[in-house]
Amino acid sequence: MELVIAISVGIVFGAGVWLILRPRTFQLITGLMLMSYAVNLFIFAMGRLWVNQPPITPVAGIDPTQFADPLPQALVLTAIVIGFATTALYLVIMIGARGLTGSDHVDGEEPRE
Amino acid sequence: MLLFSLIFVPFVGSLVAALLPADARNREAWLAGGVTVYGLVVAASLYPEIAAGEILRHDLPWLPAQGLDFVLRVDGLAWVFTMLVLAIGFLVVLYARYYMSPSDPVPRFFSFLLAFMGSMLGVVLSGNLVQLVVFWELTSLTSFLLIAYWHHRADARRGARMAFTVTATGGLCLMAGVLVLGHIVGSYDLDVVLAAGDRIRAHDLYLVALVLIALGALTKSAQFPFHFWLPHAMAAPTPVSSYLHSATMVKAGVFLLVRLWPALSGTPEWSWIIGGAGVCTLLIGAFAAIFQHDLKGLLAYSTISHLGLITVLIGIGTPLAMVAAIFHILNHATFKASLFMAAGIIDHETGTRDMRVLRGLRHKLPITATLAIVAGAAMAGVPLLNGFLSKEMFFSEALLVGSDRNWWMSAAAVAMGIFSVAYSLRFIAIFFGPPATDLPRVPHEPPRWMRFPVELLVLACLVVGVVPAISIGPILDVAVHATLGASTPQYDLAPWHGFNLPLLMSVIALVGGVLFYVVLRNRFDLHARTRTPLIYRFNGAQAYETVMLRLTSGAEWLLRWLGTSRLQPQLLIMIIAMLGVPLLLAGVPTQWTTIPRQGTDPLFALVWVIGCVCAVAGAWMAKYHRLAALSLIGGTGIITAITFLWLSAPDLALTQLMVETVTTVLILLGLRWLPPRIEAKELETPSGVWLHRSRDMAVAVAGGLAMAALTYAVLIHPASDTISDFFLLRALSEGGGSNVVNVLLVDFRSFDTLGEVTVLSIVALTVYALLRRFRPAPESTGVPAQQGHSLDPASHQTPAEQANSGYLMVAGIYLRLLLPFLGVIAVYFFMRGHNLPGGGFVAGLIFAVAILVQYMLAGAVWVENHLRVRPHRWLAFGLVLACTTGLGAWLFEYPFLTTHTAHVTLPLLGDLHLPSAFVFDLGVFAAVVGTTMLILVALAHQSVRAHRLPSEEAPQDSRRPS
C-alpha cells in the first residue's frame, strides 16, 4: 500500500509540475488541480495508512492507537475546501485576463518568437 | 506631562489643521498660532528651573524589551533651542498668514508646518538617541513635504527629492552611528552617553561612530560636500525657507554636534572632519553667494556659509569656540529669518526675485528696505549688530588655531568675511539706484502684520548688537552651561573689546568686502555671469543627479538580467528551488527504523493505475482537448476520493467527491470563455521548443520522484507522538461527538474553521466583483459553435423549453424530483455530522449541488424565476451565525468559540444532545452554500449577460440565454 500511494503521489505531482510549466492558462489550472491532489494525499499520508479504522469513537475510553490519525484529516478537509476557492478565483482571473488581453497565454501576451 | 504636551500638541494641531476646509485661512493661522503660543508659554514657564541649572526629565516606556524609553530631557541647550523653534515658528505662522495666496491649499501648509514643529521639538527634547534619530527623520520627511508644497512645479519636486535623499541618507548614517555609540556605551540614554566621553574616545569604534554621526549632521546642516541640496530647497514657499532652511532644521546638524560635543570632541579626528568640512563650506558658500542672481539663492548660499562658520567653531572645539557657535546659531537664526521674510515680501510685492531686475526699491518700500538693510548689515558683520559680535568671536578663535606659525585659518576667516560683506552688498544693492520700471508688479508696502515679524527680528538684531550682556546674555549662559558644564569659560559679551587683532580682521573684511564688490561689479560684470567662477566645476547637484541616474540604470540593468515578469521562468525556478534547497538543508538521517508495511491490495493498486493514467493523460490532453482533460483530471479526483475512503477517512472522501463535482461544473462554465481548442495537426514545433520541453519534463520527473521518495520515506517510518491522541480521547467526552474529524473542525479548531469560511466568503465576493467587470473576448461572445448547429434541437429552444417540453423532458422530471431528495440528504449528512461522517461542509456542498443541478437543467433564467436563491444572504447569515455562536460563549464568561453541550429530552424524539458547535456548523453550512452558489451563479450569469450585451451584432442570440 505504501509503495502504491508513494508512486501515485509522485506521478500525479509530476504531471502537475509538467502542466504548470506550460504556457496556457488552462494547462496551469489543471496543473494546480493535480498538484493539490498530490499534496493533499501527501499531507494525509503523514498520519500513516489505516484501513478500516476511521477516527470515529463510538464509546468513551478507547485506545487511541486503534484509530486513524484525525489531525491530518481535519487539515486536509480544510485544504480541499480552500483549494476549491482558490481554483474558482484562479478560473475567474483566467477568463477575465483572456477577455482583457485577448490571449490565454500565462503572461497575458503571446511570446515574441 | 507638560513636557510631553510640548511635542504632542503640535502633532495634534497638525492633524486638526489637515481637517479644516481649504479656504479657512484665518482659522488655520489662529490654530497654528495658538499651538505655538501654547508651546512658548509652557517652555517659558520652565525657565526658572532651567536657569537654576536643573535638567528636567520625563520618561515613558517605549520599547522596554529593548531597554528603550521615550525620554524627554530639557537642559539649557534644549530649552534655548525650544524657544528658538517656537519663537521663530510663531513669527513664521504670522508671516505665512499673509504670504500664502488664497488659491493655495492652506490646510496642507499649516498641517505640515505644525508637524515639522513637533518633529523639530522632538529632536531638541529627545533624551534618547534612538528617539532623536526618529524625530530627525521626521524633520527630513516634513521638510520634503514642505519643499514640495507647490508640487505642480517641477523644480519643487526636484528640490524636495534632492533634499530628502540627501538628508534621509544622512539620517540613516546617523542611525548607524547612534547604534555604534550605543554599542560602545551600552545605553542610548543621552545622560549616560554624555558622561561616557572618555570611554567613547578610547574605544576602537570611535572613528566609525564619529564618521557616521558626522555624516548625519553634515548632510542635515548642508555642509560641503552635501551643501548642494539647500539652494534647490528654495523652491519651497518663503516662510518654509525662512523657518526650516535657515532658522531651525538646518541647525539640527550643528545642534547635534553641540549636543554630542562632550561625548565625541577633543580628538584630532573631530577637528579635521568637522572643522575641515566647515572651512570648505564657509568659503564655498560665501563665494558662491556673491554670484547668485536669485534673492533666495543668495540667502541660501549665505546660510550654507554661516552654517559652515558654526561648524568650524564646533570643529575647533575649545570651550570659547562652543560659546561662539551657540551664539552664532541664535544670531544667524534672527537675521537670516528676517532676511528671508524680507525677500518674501519683495517677491510678493514685485513678482520677481531676480536681482538683475530689482533696483531702487527703497522708493516704493521704504520701511521694508530699512529693515532689510539693517538685517543685511548684521549678516555682513557690521558693528553694533548681533552678527558682528559672534563673527568677532569667530575671528579670535580662528587666530588661536595653528598658534603663531600657521595662519591659514585666519586667512580663511578673513576671506569669508570679505565675501560675506560682498554678498551682503549685492543684496542691499537692490534697494538703491533708480527705481526699476520693468517689474512684473508695482510694489507697495506689505500689510502691517506681514511686516511685523521682520520688524521684531530686526529689533532683536539691534538690541543684541548694542547691549548683548543684558539681552541675550542670560539665555546664552543657560545653553553654554548646559553644554560645557564645568569647563564653561569666562567670556565677555560686549560690542567693544578695545583695539585688537579680531577688530583689525573685521575692518579688513569690511573694507576688503566693499572693494571686492565694487571691483566685481565694475570690472567683471557681475550681473552677466551665469555661473560661479572657479568652483562651478564642483557641482554637487550635478554629481547627485549623475549618481541617481546611475543607480536607476543600474537597477534597471539588474532587473533586466535577474528579473522577469514572465510566469514560466518564475515557476521553473520555484520548483527547482523546492527540489534543490531541501537537499542542501537536510543532513544525514540519524536512524532508519521502519514499520511493517500494510499488505498491498491488488484492487487498490488497480484503482491507482487508473488514477495515474488519468493524471498523465489529462496532462497530455490539456493542450488539445480541454473537455477531455477536465474529465480525466476529474477522474484522478474521484480516485483520490476513493483512496480517502479506503484509508479510513470517510469525511475526506465525501468532501473530495462533492468538491470535485462542484469544481468540474465550475471549470465547465469557464471553458466557454477560452479560445478555440488547438488542433494537434496545426502544430509545427520548432527545435527550440523541444529543448524547453525536455527540460520541463526532467523537472517534472525529478519533482515526481522526489515527492514519491519523500512519501515513501515517511510512510515506512514510525509515526511520532502528536496531539492526535488528545483529540481522539477527548472528542466524545468533551466535544460531545464521536466523529473526531468533525469535532476537530467545529469545536477544537473552530477558530481555524471560522477563518476558513471567512476566506471562502471573501473569495466568493471577489469572484463576484471580478465578474461584474468581466469583458469576454470578442470571439467568445456569440453562441458556441457546438450549440449553433441547426440539427441540434437545442438551437431553437431555450434551456427551459428543452427541459419542460423538449427533448430533455424526461430528464427534467427526474432531476426536479431530485431536488427534495438531495435536500433531505443534505439535512441528513448535516445532522449526523457530529457523530458519523458528514457535517456542515459536506452538507453545504450537497445542497449547493442540488440547486446547481436545476440550473444546469433549465438555465439560469427559469430557475431564478421559480426559486429565489440569494447567495449573498446565505453567506451573510452563515458568517453571522458562526460569529454569534462564538461570541455567545462570552455571555457565560468563556473564551470565544467555547462549545457547550446541552442535553434535552423531547417527546417522540427522545434524548437529544445539542452542542452549540451544532449551531456553529449550521453557520458553516450556510456559508458554504452561499459561497458555492455565488461563485457558480455569477459565472453562469456571464453567458446570459454576454448574449444580451452584443444584441445589435447578433440579434438571434438574445432569444436563447443558455
Side-chain angles (χ1 to χ4, degrees):
Chain A
M1 293 295 254
E2 283 85 357
L3 201 61
V4 174
I5 282 284
I7 292 172
S8 313
V9 166
I11 291 177
V12 176
F13 189 75
V17 169
W18 163 260
L19 276 175
I20 67 163
L21 295 175
R22 298 297 93 220
R24 301 290 148 192
T25 48
F26 182 76
Q27 290 171 311
L28 188 62
I29 199 172
T30 48
L32 288 175
M33 285 170 73
L34 283 179
M35 280 175 88
S36 67
Y37 296 144
V39 171
N40 283 345
L41 279 170
F42 175 73
I43 298 173
F44 174 66
M46 292 299 103
R48 305 302 182 280
L49 308 183
W50 307 77
V51 180
N52 284 331
Q53 286 155 313
I56 291 166
T57 54
V59 287
I62 44 95
D63 174 13
T65 56
Q66 292 308 306
F67 291 88
D69 192 341
L71 192 60
Q73 294 196 15
L75 296 181
V76 170
L77 201 148
T78 315
I80 293 172
V81 180
I82 290 285
F84 161 66
T86 324
T87 310
L89 192 60
Y90 178 77
L91 179 89
V92 170
I93 292 171
M94 174 175 100
I95 61 172
R98 149 83 174 136
L100 275 177
T101 63
S103 159
D104 72 334
H105 193 275
V106 285
D107 296 333
E109 58 183 15
E110 297 300 322
R112 287 157 300 190
E113 278 176 51
Chain B
M1 207 54 221
L2 206 59
L3 277 185
F4 186 64
S5 75
L6 265 181
I7 296 181
F8 188 63
V9 168
F11 281 115
V12 172
S14 161
L15 207 64
V16 175
L19 298 174
L20 290 183
D23 56 349
R25 277 217 298 172
N26 285 324
R27 266 183 284 166
E28 292 280 353
W30 278 112
L31 171 71
V35 166
T36 324
V37 168
Y38 170 80
L40 274 171
V41 170
V42 170
S45 73
L46 302 174
Y47 180 69
E49 283 140 305
I50 299 297
E54 281 182 49
I55 295 177
L56 306 175
R57 267 179 77 104
H58 183 65
D59 292 36
L60 288 171
W62 181 23
L63 299 170
Q66 305 294 320
L68 283 179
D69 282 336
F70 189 89
V71 183
L72 295 177
R73 175 183 180 278
V74 194
D75 62 355
L77 183 69
W79 184 81
V80 169
F81 263 87
T82 307
M83 288 304 280
L84 179 78
V85 169
L86 288 166
I88 307 260
F90 178 72
L91 297 178
V92 165
V93 166
L94 183 60
Y95 177 78
R97 158 65 186 82
Y98 296 96
Y99 179 85
M100 302 309 286
S101 102
S103 58
D104 288 324
V106 194
R108 191 147 55 88
F109 179 80
F110 281 105
S111 172
F112 292 163
L113 199 73
L114 285 175
F116 165 76
M117 191 183 287
S119 322
M120 191 65 207
L121 288 173
V123 170
V124 170
L125 296 176
S126 285
N128 173 323
L129 288 175
V130 176
Q131 176 197 343
L132 186 144
V133 176
V134 172
F135 281 112
W136 180 280
E137 293 287 38
L138 268 179
T139 62
S140 293
L141 185 69
T142 41
S143 156
F144 168 79
L145 294 170
L146 282 167
I147 299 172
Y149 174 69
W150 286 317
H151 50 62
H152 54 276
R153 283 173 30 186
D155 63 331
R157 294 197 299 270
R158 176 169 179 243
R161 262 202 307 273
M162 191 185 281
F164 185 71
T165 314
V166 175
T167 54
T169 313
L172 290 178
C173 291
L174 176 66
M175 179 84 206
V178 161
L179 292 178
V180 174
L181 207 58
H183 173 73
I184 296 174
V185 180
S187 167
Y188 295 106
D189 194 280
L190 195 57
D191 284 315
V192 182
V193 171
L194 292 184
D198 292 329
R199 197 139 52 89
I200 296 170
R201 282 183 288 267
H203 201 273
D204 292 338
L205 288 171
Y206 166 69
L207 192 60
V208 180
L210 175 65
V211 169
L212 288 170
I213 290 174
L215 277 173
L218 297 181
T219 47
K220 195 80 166 178
S221 279
Q223 296 297 294
F224 179 82
F226 311 111
H227 62 281
F228 56 86
W229 69 263
L230 191 57
H232 288 276
M234 292 298 133
T238 302
V240 175
S241 310
S242 161
Y243 190 33
L244 271 72
H245 303 126
S246 77
T248 55
M249 190 192 87
V250 288
K251 299 279 167 54
V254 285
F255 166 78
L256 183 75
L257 293 176
V258 174
R259 179 93 278 180
L260 293 177
W261 178 84
L264 294 173
S265 76
T267 59
E269 292 92 338
W270 169 273
S271 297
W272 280 107
I273 295 174
I274 308 294
V279 172
C280 295
T281 317
L282 161 133
L283 289 173
I284 291 174
F287 188 65
I290 306 173
F291 297 93
Q292 302 303 310
H293 299 308
D294 177 16
L295 266 183
K296 283 177 79 178
L298 183 147
L299 293 177
Y301 276 103
S302 149
T303 302
I304 292 175
S305 157
H306 279 277
L307 287 167
L309 189 156
I310 298 164
T311 313
V312 172
L313 283 167
I314 298 168
I316 294 170
T318 59
L320 265 177
M322 295 309 288
V323 175
I326 298 170
F327 191 26
H328 197 69
I329 289 175
L330 298 177
N331 288 338
H332 176 255
T334 330
F335 66 71
K336 195 51 68 65
S338 65
L339 280 171
F340 266 112
M341 289 180 188
I345 291 174
I346 293 165
D347 185 15
H348 201 257
E349 294 300 324
T350 64
T352 179
R353 298 196 311 243
D354 192 334
M355 286 186 283
R356 288 167 296 190
V357 181
L358 292 166
R359 61 184 179 276
L361 289 178
R362 77 193 153 100
H363 301 290
K364 295 280 183 163
L365 302 167
I367 304 174
T368 309
T370 317
L371 295 170
I373 291 168
V374 175
M379 173 163 79
V382 171
L384 291 182
L385 291 167
N386 61 355
F388 172 73
L389 298 174
S390 43
K391 197 174 277 186
E392 196 86 328
M393 289 165 111
F394 166 60
F395 284 159
S396 59
E397 286 310 305
L399 280 169
L400 296 176
V401 177
S403 66
D404 290 345
R405 282 162 290 118
N406 191 338
W407 291 91
W408 63 266
M409 189 62 229
S410 310
V414 173
M416 174 267 182
I418 292 174
F419 295 153
S420 64
V421 171
Y423 66 68
S424 301
L425 280 174
R426 176 101 204 266
F427 181 80
I428 290 168
I430 60 167
F431 298 108
F432 297 100
T437 49
D438 50 350
L439 294 175
R441 235 176 276 158
V442 180
H444 301 284
E445 278 290 343
R448 168 88 192 81
W449 290 104
M450 185 171 183
R451 211 176 51 214
F452 175 74
V454 191
E455 288 164 356
L456 209 63
L457 288 168
V458 170
L459 186 70
C461 292
L462 266 169
V463 171
V464 173
V466 178
V467 279
I470 54 169
S471 56
I472 195 81
I475 295 172
L476 183 62
D477 199 49
V478 160
V480 167
H481 267 102
T483 315
L484 302 177
S487 55
T488 309
Q490 279 293 319
Y491 61 92
D492 178 22
L493 289 178
W496 179 252
H497 288 105
F499 294 103
N500 54 12
L501 267 178
L503 186 68
L504 179 67
M505 288 161 79
S506 284
V507 173
I508 296 174
L510 274 172
V511 176
V514 174
L515 285 177
F516 187 55
Y517 176 69
V518 172
V519 169
L520 277 179
R521 191 182 171 109
N522 297 342
R523 290 295 179 87
F524 289 91
D525 198 13
L526 196 53
H527 277 181
R529 287 188 176 272
T530 51
R531 59 189 187 191
T532 312
L534 302 174
I535 55 168
Y536 66 88
R537 287 179 198 284
F538 306 105
N539 191 337
Q542 191 60 51
Y544 163 85
E545 295 292 352
T546 314
V547 169
M548 285 293 135
L549 216 61
R550 291 272 158 77
L551 278 178
T552 317
S553 58
E556 276 167 6
W557 182 84
L558 274 180
L559 204 62
R560 208 165 47 244
W561 287 99
L562 298 179
T564 174
S565 61
R566 294 173 52 219
L567 183 68
Q568 286 169 280
Q570 294 175 20
L571 286 176
L572 185 70
I573 290 169
M574 211 160 84
I575 298 282
I576 290 176
M578 261 166 55
L579 288 173
V581 173
L583 285 180
L584 296 177
L585 296 180
V588 185
T590 45
Q591 58 181 31
W592 280 101
T593 40
T594 55
I595 48 171
R597 319 285 139 80
Q598 310 255 1
T600 306
D601 192 320
L603 192 59
F604 187 73
L606 182 67
V607 162
W608 265 109
V609 168
I610 298 172
C612 293
V613 168
C614 279
V616 173
W620 174 256
M621 291 313 288
K623 181 168 187 176
Y624 310 107
H625 201 314
R626 298 195 188 104
L627 187 61
L630 190 61
S631 318
L632 286 165
I633 284 165
T636 311
I638 302 288
I639 303 292
T640 309
I642 292 174
T643 311
F644 287 141
L645 190 61
W646 202 300
L647 297 173
S648 316
D651 282 283
L652 286 190
L654 275 171
T655 315
Q656 176 76 53
L657 197 65
M658 296 321 294
V659 165
E660 205 47 56
T661 316
V662 178
T663 311
T664 309
V665 174
L666 178 83
I667 297 183
L668 279 175
L669 282 169
L671 279 186
R672 184 195 183 310
W673 305 108
L674 289 176
R677 75 185 223 210
I678 301 167
E679 299 295 336
K681 60 178 185 294
E682 281 178 21
L683 297 168
E684 294 168 18
T685 9
S687 58
V689 169
W690 285 110
L691 202 67
H692 282 206
R693 286 188 188 160
S694 342
R695 183 195 61 197
D696 293 351
M697 180 55 91
V699 172
V701 168
L705 281 176
M707 201 70 182
L710 192 60
T711 313
Y712 191 66
V714 171
L715 283 178
I716 60 170
H717 234 63
S720 48
D721 285 332
T722 63
I723 49 171
S724 302
D725 289 355
F726 171 87
F727 295 129
L728 282 167
L729 289 172
R730 308 290 174 93
L732 189 56
S733 56
E734 294 180 19
S738 53
N739 181 1
V740 185
V741 175
N742 184 269
V743 175
L744 252 172
L745 286 173
V746 297
D747 188 342
F748 291 126
R749 293 172 54 82
S750 51
F751 194 59
D752 194 36
T753 308
L754 182 66
E756 190 195 354
V757 289
T758 314
V759 170
L760 283 182
S761 316
I762 293 170
V763 168
L765 291 173
T766 314
V767 164
Y768 179 73
L770 281 173
L771 285 173
R772 281 173 65 89
R773 290 273 169 274
F774 173 65
R775 293 286 172 274
E779 78 258 27
S780 308
T781 46
V783 179
Q786 292 89 334
Q787 294 179 14
H789 201 282
S790 57
L791 287 179
D792 186 347
S795 65
H796 45 83
Q797 281 179 321
T798 63
E801 287 165 354
Q802 292 163 28
N804 293 338
S805 53
Y807 74 112
L808 280 177
M809 213 169 97
V810 176
I813 289 167
Y814 279 125
L815 288 176
R816 285 208 183 114
L817 263 178
L818 201 60
L819 179 65
F821 283 107
L822 274 174
V824 169
I825 291 172
V827 173
Y828 169 68
F829 271 112
F830 176 75
M831 295 298 281
R832 70 175 213 162
H834 220 47
N835 292 318
L836 288 166
F841 279 116
V842 175
L845 289 164
I846 293 175
F847 192 75
V849 167
I851 297 175
L852 279 180
V853 167
Q854 305 307 315
Y855 267 90
M856 287 161 71
L857 176 71
V861 179
W862 189 87
V863 173
E864 277 160 26
N865 285 338
H866 290 78
L867 189 70
R868 309 216 109 196
V869 195
R870 293 207 179 90
H872 296 89
R873 294 203 181 168
W874 282 88
L875 213 63
F877 174 71
L879 282 181
V880 168
L881 197 61
C883 283
T884 35
T885 316
L887 288 172
W890 282 359
L891 291 181
F892 304 96
E893 293 180 356
Y894 283 103
F896 186 55
L897 282 170
T898 308
T899 310
H900 175 73
T901 309
H903 285 272
V904 205
T905 313
L906 288 178
L908 204 65
L909 289 171
D911 196 24
L912 277 183
H913 89 213
L914 286 172
S916 69
F918 192 74
V919 185
F920 179 79
D921 213 13
L922 191 64
V924 172
F925 167 79
V928 169
V929 173
T931 304
T932 318
M933 293 307 298
L934 186 57
I935 294 176
L936 289 164
V937 169
L939 203 52
H941 272 239
Q942 297 313 311
S943 301
V944 183
R945 229 178 60 157
H947 283 285
R948 223 182 282 139
L949 280 177
S951 50
E952 301 91 85
E953 300 140 12
Q956 76 275 14
D957 290 354
S958 56
R959 202 166 35 86
R960 294 182 45 256
S962 68

